[in-house]
Amino acid sequence: MCEAAEEDLYAVLGASPSDSVQQLRHRYQQLALQYHPDRLGGESSSEAESGVKKFLEVDAAWRILNDQNTRRQYDLQRRVRELKQDWPVDSTICLEDMTWEQG
C-alpha cells in the first residue's frame, strides 16, 4: 500500500473520498473496461502501454478502496500527509487583513 499512497487513489478512479463503495465500484468498472488490455489490442504500442499502465493504476486503487479496513487506513494516511504539508495553507497574507493593538 505504500507505493500507491503517493498518489491520490480517489483521483485515479475519478471519485471523491465521500463516495460510497457502490459509486467507487461503478467508476472502477467503467475505467477497467475502458483501459483493459484486451480492448486496447488494436492500438499502437505506446498507446497500449499507457493504457495497460492506467489499467494497473485503476486496479491497484480499487484493491485498496474496495475493502473497508484498507480504505480506512488509506484515508488516515492521506489525512496525515495533508496535515504534514510543508507549504503554507494560504500563501497569500495581507497586512490589511491582520489586526493588532498599537500601544
Side-chain angles (χ1 to χ4, degrees):
M1 186 154 88
C2 296
E3 20 185 92
E6 294 302 320
E7 60 185 308
D8 185 7
L9 300 180
Y10 292 104
V12 169
L13 292 178
S16 73
S18 62
D19 286 351
S20 68
V21 174
Q22 289 80 15
Q23 291 168 316
L24 292 175
R25 179 180 297 120
H26 180 71
R27 290 295 304 147
Y28 165 72
Q29 290 172 342
Q30 286 179 328
L31 293 170
L33 284 174
Q34 180 179 350
Y35 293 109
H36 195 277
D38 291 343
R39 288 188 170 230
L40 300 173
E43 306 274 333
S44 69
S45 64
S46 63
E47 290 175 352
E49 277 184 40
S50 65
V52 168
K53 183 179 178 207
K54 180 68 174 173
F55 176 79
L56 293 174
E57 289 174 5
V58 167
D59 188 58
W62 172 244
R63 288 177 186 264
I64 292 172
L65 297 178
N66 79 330
D67 180 65
Q68 186 177 11
N69 292 328
T70 56
R71 182 177 180 180
R72 187 175 339 180
Q73 287 176 339
Y74 172 74
D75 288 342
L76 288 172
Q77 289 175 357
R78 188 171 174 261
R79 181 68 179 144
V80 166
R81 278 195 316 271
E82 289 173 1
L83 293 174
K84 285 185 174 180
Q85 65 185 0
D86 293 333
W87 60 90
V89 174
D90 184 5
S91 60
T92 307
I93 301 172
C94 299
L95 289 176
E96 294 81 25
D97 294 338
M98 296 182 188
T99 59
W100 63 87
E101 294 180 22
Q102 294 179 343

